[in-house]
């Protein structure tokens, strides 16, 4: 390889890194100033005297709308003075309270067992046997006399031991215990003859033990006018808190009545169900107001959360629940965490980390959450409800819009191949439809600007928008070749994606082709769908620009393309914008290949090795940069470095295993597999048939072909290095296969085809 190419490689690496480093000091200093807990020293001593107490109030099976529509003066006042947001409730198992609570306690997605809700005092009887005796049978250990034990602990550990990532059941309780802090659980969600002590599985340590609390049925009082004839005795709850005040640092309070109201929904009328839930929320609100009066707002932390939404919300795919945080460092703005980097949104994995962060306690191995903190951005409750509604609608529209597009895309690709080989008289129409399918991702990105609440409305509007864009580009490039038209679409989507990322990703968050915030897979950056689109479109677009620049005798210098490559890499890789490791690797492979192909007509093994070495260096620097930032600013890259430091390089093996397993599963089931395979098949066929056509295109449009080749290299790389690589590979093909098909159609020696095109143009 020539030294000049090496120099360009080095500049590709250094330009984004210079930007990273320039922003590093500012970002770190801002976060350290706004997050005073980051300065706390880790300690194994009891330190509540400095940081006060923590109260976690679990008010389950309610939504933000339920609270807003109920008479809750204390919560209303709290919302005005404290941080508020929405929390994802995804687990590693089912959408159930037992899985949700165990997930929050472990700090990573896990699945519970049927016995996980069995949290009992050691002297309580279960099936006629004392819980302490059952616990000893299960673990071989004797629990302390005042402890609460979880009888599903061993099964939960067994259920999650083969996961391809570190799982630490009981991580929250373990971390608190190791720091010398005491914790307690008060309250339950028991129903008739059934123990439901979910908070025990949330607070327990690695041995399945909570050292203190009150979860016995005595915390309830008889009330025949309420679901299952009982309700929470808030007088007893407050009395228990006062008795434990001097010895307990962290209280988990399971209010229970809203959960019982939800469990009773099949027994009563809708009107009674609503009355039961509203009454439970109002009584919980009164208790919260009384508790706040006893708290020290300058030292104590209050977290109010709903581990799982109502059945109606879940049926509508609304898996976001309210979370409210009051305490030192929190103001009346939207809550956010480094897990989401999106104001107003946090995850259920962040709850335990927020509690630990209040005391400056380090996370346990496997805990992936980040501290929830105030974002500084404000939003009224009505606006937050509307935001929740939009996210729910995006979730519900995503599947039908993507399936419709992939179905049409598949049909049109097949039809185009048939036209090329057998029905060339219809090529003019095939050309129009191929352009249309390249425009649909553009219309899906712009769709949030023209909000429609129903899938049918969004589908109709997006396809009308795609038709309009296709027509406009055709008019403005009427005399241009098919390659020029393809390049226009590629450049439009590339510019739109980069601009959206640099301005806060407002479009992609509500695009059906973007990431789904409710699903909790990704909250910021591009996501694998549009990452693939950007990869394929940028390579094809750059190839087209280079081709026409060369034809005009100007010759597009690599020095002019270098800033474009660097900007895209910056958007993909920067921890505060994209943090897409797989996309970064794929882009580096694609763009490096394009550069080499400008000097060499083919790639050799030593070129691939060189690109791999450059990519490895870039990733190491990128991960180290992210890990050096403030904890609340780190992306998953910085967290990965922390995991490696804590658990060794075996953590990389687990990450690789997880990515491979996800990719294999998605390859079998995702709709993008057919797009990728059909596109690859189409391009492979055109290499041989019609005979010699590809050689003609390569001779006439060499730089265009080099752009396509580099895009395919990036596409294959994306398939191999992403945990959902088949998705990125499939979407990248949208801007690789159709341009090739259009280029072939343009070169076919068919006079009738040219006449039909002129007729279609009229």
């Amino acid at each position: 390889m020539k030294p000049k190419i090496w120099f360009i490689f080095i500049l590709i690496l250094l330009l984004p890194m210079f930007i990273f480093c320039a922003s590093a000091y500012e970002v770190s200093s801002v976060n350290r100033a706004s997050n005073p807990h980051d300065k706390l020293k880790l300690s194994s001593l009891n330190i509540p005297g400095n940081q006060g107490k923590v109260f976690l109030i679990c008010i389950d099976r309610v939504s933000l709308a339920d609270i807003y529509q109920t008479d809750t003066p204390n919560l209303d006042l709290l919302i005005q003075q404290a941080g508020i947001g929405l929390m994802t409730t995804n687990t590693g198992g089912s959408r159930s309270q037992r899985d949700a609570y165990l997930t929050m306690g472990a700090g990573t997605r896990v699945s519970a067992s049927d016995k996980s809700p069995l949290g009992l005092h050691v002297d309580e009887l279960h099936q006629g046997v004392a819980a302490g005796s059952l616990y000893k049978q299960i673990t071989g250990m004797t629990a302390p006399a005042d402890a609460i034990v979880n009888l599903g602990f061993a099964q939960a550990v067994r259920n999650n031991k083969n996961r391809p990532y570190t799982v630490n059941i009981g991580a929250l309780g373990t971390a608190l215990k190791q720091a010398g802090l005491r914790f307690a659980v008060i309250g339950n969600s028991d129903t008739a003859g059934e123990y439901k002590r979910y908070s025990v599985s949330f607070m327990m340590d690695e041995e399945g033990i909570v050292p203190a609390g009150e979860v016995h049925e005595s915390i309830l009082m008889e009330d025949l006018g309420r679901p299952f004839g009982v309700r929470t005795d808030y007088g007893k709850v407050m009395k228990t808190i006062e008795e434990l005040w001097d010895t307990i640092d962290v209280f988990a309070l399971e209010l229970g009545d809203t959960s019982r109201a939800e469990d009773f929904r099949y027994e009563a009328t809708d009107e009674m169900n609503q009355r039961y839930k509203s009454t439970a929320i109002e009584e919980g609100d009164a208790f919260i107001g009384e508790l706040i009066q006893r708290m020290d707002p300058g030292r104590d932390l209050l977290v109010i959360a709903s581990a799982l939404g109502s059945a109606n919300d879940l049926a509508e795919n609304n898996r976001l629940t309210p979370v409210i945080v009051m305490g030192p460092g929190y103001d009346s703005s939207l809550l956010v965490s480094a897990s989401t980097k999106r104001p107003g949104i946090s995850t259920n994995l962040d709850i335990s980390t927020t509690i630990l962060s209040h005391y400056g306690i380090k996370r346990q191995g496997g805990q992936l959450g980040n501290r929830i903190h105030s974002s500084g951005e404000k939003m009224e409750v009505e606006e937050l409800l509307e935001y929740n509604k939009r996210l729910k609608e995006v979730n519900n529209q995503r599947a039908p819009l993507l399936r419709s597009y992939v179905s049409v895309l598949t049909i049109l690709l097949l039809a185009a191949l048939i036209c090329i080989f057998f029905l060339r008289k219809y090529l003019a129409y095939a050309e129009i439809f191929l352009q249309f399918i390249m425009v649909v991702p553009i219309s899906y990105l712009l769709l949030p600007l023209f909000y429609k609440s129903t899938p049918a409305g969004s589908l109709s509007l997006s396809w009308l928008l795609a038709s309009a864009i296709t027509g406009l580009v055709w008019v403005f490039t009427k005399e241009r070749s098919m390659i020029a038209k393809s390049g226009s679409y590629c450049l439009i989507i590339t510019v739109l994606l980069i601009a959206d990322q640099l301005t806060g990703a407002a479009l992609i968050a509500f695009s059906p082709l973007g990431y789904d915030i409710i699903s909790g897979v990704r909250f910021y950056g591009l996501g694998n769908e549009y990452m693939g689109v950007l990869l394929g479109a940028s390579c094809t677009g750059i190839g087209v620009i280079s081709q026409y620049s060369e034809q005009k005798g100007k010759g597009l210098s690599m020095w002019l393309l270098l800033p474009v490559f660097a900007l895209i890499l910056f958007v993909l890789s920067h921890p505060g914008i994209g943090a897409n490791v797989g996309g970064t690797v794929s882009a580096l492979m694609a763009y490096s290949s394009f550069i080499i192909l400008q000097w060499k007509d083919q790639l050799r093994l030593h070129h691939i090795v060189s690109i791999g070495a450059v990519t490895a260096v870039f990733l190491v620097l990128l991960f180290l940069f992210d890990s050096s930032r403030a904890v609340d600013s780190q992306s998953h890259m910085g967290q990965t470095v922390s995991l490696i430091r804590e658990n060794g390089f075996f953590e990389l093996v687990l990450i690789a295993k997880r990515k491979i397993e996800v990719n294999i599963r998605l390859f079998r089931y995702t709709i993008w597999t057919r797009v990728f395979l059909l596109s690859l098949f189409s391009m492979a066929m055109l290499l041989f048939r019609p005979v010699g056509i590809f050689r003609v295109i390569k001779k006439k449009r060499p730089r265009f072909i080099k752009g396509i080749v580099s895009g395919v290299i990036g596409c294959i790389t994306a398939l191999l290095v992403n945990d959902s690589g088949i998705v990125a590979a499939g979407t990248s093909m949208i801007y690789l296969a159709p341009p090739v098909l259009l280029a072939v159609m343009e070169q076919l020696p068919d006079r009738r085809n040219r006449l039909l095109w002129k007729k279609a143009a009229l």
Side-chain angles (χ1 to χ4, degrees):
M1 188 182 299
K2 294 183 179 180
K4 189 175 182 180
I5 304 179
W6 272 111
F7 185 62
I8 291 178
F9 277 156
I10 293 172
L11 286 179
I12 291 178
L13 287 176
L14 291 182
L15 278 178
M17 293 308 297
F18 279 142
I19 301 175
F20 295 161
C21 294
S23 63
Y25 177 77
E26 180 182 357
V27 172
S28 298
S29 61
V30 169
N31 280 280
R32 291 191 185 101
S34 61
N35 301 318
H37 301 312
D38 292 338
K39 298 179 181 180
L40 295 174
K41 300 290 185 180
L42 299 182
S43 175
S44 60
L45 301 177
N46 192 313
I47 52 178
N50 296 324
Q51 294 302 317
K53 299 183 183 298
V54 172
F55 296 90
L56 171 67
I57 298 180
C58 304
I59 178 166
D60 283 342
R61 312 310 299 270
V62 300
S63 65
L64 181 61
D66 291 329
I67 295 175
Y68 180 69
Q69 296 165 2
T70 306
D71 183 17
T72 54
N74 295 295
L75 285 173
D76 292 344
L77 182 61
L78 192 61
I79 288 172
Q80 295 175 12
Q81 299 176 350
I84 184 172
L86 300 169
M87 180 180 77
T88 64
T89 56
N90 301 291
T91 73
S94 63
R95 298 173 188 172
S96 64
Q97 284 170 278
R98 63 172 183 263
D99 286 323
Y101 275 89
L102 194 69
T103 290
M104 289 195 303
T108 191
R109 294 182 181 181
V110 295
S111 60
S113 73
D114 293 338
K115 294 183 178 180
S116 289
L118 295 180
L120 292 86
H121 294 273
V122 292
D123 57 351
E124 273 192 279
L125 297 181
H126 178 60
Q127 298 179 345
V129 182
S133 298
L134 292 173
Y135 176 80
K136 188 170 184 178
Q137 293 175 19
I138 293 169
T139 66
M141 298 181 292
T142 301
D146 297 331
I148 300 170
V149 296
N150 184 272
L151 300 183
F153 167 74
Q155 288 186 6
V157 172
R158 186 177 299 109
N159 288 350
N160 296 281
K161 68 178 181 179
N162 292 324
R163 291 190 179 274
Y165 48 83
T166 301
V167 173
N168 189 349
I169 300 296
L172 174 59
T174 301
L176 292 172
K177 182 176 70 173
Q178 291 176 354
L181 299 173
R182 282 179 58 82
F183 45 98
V185 172
I186 302 174
N188 64 54
S189 301
D190 290 358
T191 56
E194 189 173 359
Y195 295 121
K196 294 183 178 180
R197 284 87 181 268
Y198 302 111
S199 290
V200 175
S201 63
F202 170 66
M203 290 298 301
M204 66 184 180
D205 61 19
E206 80 282 0
E207 296 177 346
I209 292 176
V210 175
E214 182 59 80
V215 298
H216 191 270
E217 62 182 10
S218 62
I219 205 72
L220 306 177
M221 64 187 301
E222 183 178 353
D223 187 341
L224 298 180
R226 301 292 285 275
F228 304 102
V230 295
R231 63 182 173 88
T232 298
D233 186 344
Y234 285 110
K236 182 65 178 295
V237 172
M238 188 59 69
K239 181 181 178 181
T240 305
I241 292 174
E242 291 173 347
E243 290 173 351
L244 297 173
W245 190 273
D246 294 333
T247 59
I248 297 300
D249 308 306
V250 180
F251 291 88
L253 309 174
E254 186 176 341
L255 302 192
D257 285 341
T258 52
S259 181
R260 277 184 284 271
E262 182 72 19
D263 289 338
F264 200 67
R265 66 187 182 278
Y266 294 120
E267 308 296 331
T269 63
D270 292 342
E271 181 182 357
M272 290 303 297
N273 285 333
Q274 185 58 47
R275 182 184 302 178
Y276 290 142
K277 182 167 287 189
S278 297
T279 301
I281 294 173
E282 290 172 359
E283 292 176 350
D285 175 76
F287 167 75
I288 290 170
E290 185 178 354
L291 178 64
I292 291 175
Q293 296 300 317
R294 287 168 165 76
M295 291 176 55
D296 182 348
R299 298 194 307 145
D300 297 338
L301 179 70
L302 174 66
V303 180
I304 302 173
S306 181
L308 190 70
S310 67
N312 290 336
D313 284 334
L314 295 178
E316 296 176 354
N317 285 323
N318 180 21
R319 301 197 294 276
L320 297 175
T321 59
V323 58
I324 302 171
V325 182
M326 181 189 77
Y330 292 90
D331 57 28
S332 57
S333 63
L334 293 176
L335 297 171
V336 70
S337 77
S339 302
T340 66
K341 301 185 186 296
R342 190 165 289 279
I345 304 293
S346 57
T347 76
N348 52 357
L349 307 183
D350 299 327
I351 295 294
S352 58
T353 305
T354 301
I355 294 173
L356 296 177
S357 179
H358 182 71
Y359 295 110
I361 300 172
K362 189 178 180 181
R363 293 178 302 190
Q364 292 284 299
Q367 286 187 291
L368 301 179
N370 293 277
R371 188 177 78 90
I372 299 173
H373 60 275
S374 295
S375 67
E377 296 189 23
K378 295 182 182 291
M379 188 181 287
E380 296 296 329
V381 176
E382 295 88 345
E383 296 176 286
L384 191 57
L385 285 170
E386 180 63 24
Y387 184 45
N388 190 355
K389 180 172 176 286
R390 287 285 302 273
L391 292 176
K392 179 188 71 174
E393 289 168 354
V394 170
N395 179 277
N396 290 330
Q397 293 178 15
R398 180 180 172 85
L401 264 65
L402 291 187
R403 288 197 186 103
S404 300
Y405 175 57
V406 169
S407 298
V408 172
L409 174 60
T410 303
I411 292 171
L412 292 180
L413 283 176
L414 285 171
L417 279 178
I418 292 172
C419 288
I420 289 174
F421 292 122
F422 306 109
L423 300 173
R424 293 185 182 176
K425 63 181 181 178
Y426 297 112
L427 283 178
Y429 306 107
E431 289 172 349
I432 296 175
F433 285 119
L434 282 178
Q435 293 177 64
F436 172 80
I437 62 175
M438 293 177 66
V439 178
V440 172
I442 301 175
S443 68
Y444 278 0
L445 183 62
L446 297 175
L447 188 59
L449 299 175
F450 311 93
Y451 170 57
K452 292 293 180 181
S453 60
T454 62
S458 293
L459 181 65
S460 301
L461 180 61
S462 60
W463 287 37
L464 284 173
L465 184 60
S467 300
I469 295 172
T470 304
L472 287 173
V473 172
W474 185 84
V475 168
F476 284 106
T477 60
K478 187 174 182 180
E479 303 301 326
R480 298 285 185 178
S481 67
M482 288 296 105
I483 290 178
K485 289 179 170 59
S486 299
S488 299
Y489 303 127
C490 292
L491 293 176
I492 290 172
I493 189 63
T494 299
V495 171
L496 285 175
L497 285 173
I498 293 175
D500 184 50
Q501 290 297 292
L502 295 177
T503 56
L507 293 179
I508 200 171
F510 295 104
S511 169
L513 195 55
Y515 39 77
D516 181 8
I517 288 176
I518 286 183
S519 70
V521 177
R522 175 172 280 271
F523 302 92
Y524 57 92
L526 279 168
N528 282 320
E529 289 87 352
Y530 271 120
M531 181 273 284
V533 166
L534 179 61
L535 183 65
S538 61
C539 288
T540 300
I542 289 171
V544 171
I545 292 175
S546 298
Q547 182 62 53
Y548 278 90
S549 176
E550 184 181 51
Q551 287 180 2
K552 290 182 178 181
K554 297 180 180 180
L556 190 62
S557 170
M558 281 295 102
W559 302 110
L560 297 178
L561 290 179
L562 185 60
V564 177
F565 292 149
L567 178 61
I568 296 175
L569 283 173
F570 174 76
V571 167
L572 285 170
S573 60
H574 193 286
I577 302 178
N580 193 319
V581 177
T584 301
V585 174
S586 304
L588 275 170
M589 289 293 294
Y591 301 153
S592 299
S593 299
F594 185 82
I595 291 172
I596 293 173
L597 288 171
Q598 296 307 303
W599 274 273
K600 307 284 186 178
D601 287 333
Q602 58 183 338
L603 288 172
R604 299 188 179 276
L605 179 60
H606 68 275
H607 295 145
I608 302 298
V609 173
S610 300
I611 296 172
V614 169
T615 302
V617 171
F618 184 86
L619 288 181
V620 170
L621 294 174
L622 185 62
F623 274 69
L624 291 176
F625 165 77
D626 193 28
S627 66
S628 68
R629 304 196 307 157
V631 174
D632 284 351
S633 300
Q634 290 180 10
S635 70
H636 60 278
M637 293 186 288
Q639 295 173 18
T640 299
V641 175
S642 298
L643 287 174
I644 293 172
R645 288 170 178 167
E646 294 169 3
N647 306 322
F649 281 95
F650 182 69
E651 195 68 37
L652 290 177
V653 177
L654 294 178
I655 292 173
K657 180 182 178 184
R658 181 174 72 251
K659 289 180 177 293
I660 292 171
E661 289 178 351
V662 171
N663 222 359
I664 291 174
R665 184 169 66 251
L666 284 175
F667 195 90
R668 295 173 59 189
Y669 299 114
T670 183
I671 56 177
W672 293 109
T673 300
R674 70 186 74 165
V675 175
F676 172 72
L677 294 178
L678 179 58
S679 299
L680 206 61
F681 171 76
S682 302
M683 296 171 74
M685 288 287 292
L686 295 175
L687 288 174
F688 306 101
R689 293 288 188 277
V691 176
I693 193 71
F694 202 83
R695 288 196 300 271
V696 172
I697 298 173
K698 184 178 179 182
K699 184 178 181 179
K700 290 185 176 181
R701 318 282 194 187
R703 295 205 172 191
F704 166 73
I705 292 299
K706 290 174 182 178
I708 294 294
V709 171
S710 65
V712 172
I713 291 172
C715 171
I716 301 299
T717 304
L719 175 66
L720 298 176
V721 302
N722 281 274
D723 52 2
S724 51
I726 185 59
V727 175
T731 55
S732 66
M733 280 295 182
I734 298 171
Y735 292 92
L736 294 173
V740 171
L741 289 169
L742 289 169
V744 169
M745 291 176 180
E746 192 174 41
Q747 296 300 320
L748 290 175
D750 193 309
R751 180 175 178 275
R752 187 177 182 184
N753 173 53
R754 291 195 296 272
L755 293 175
L756 278 173
W757 173 252
K758 290 181 180 179
K759 182 179 179 181
L762 300 175

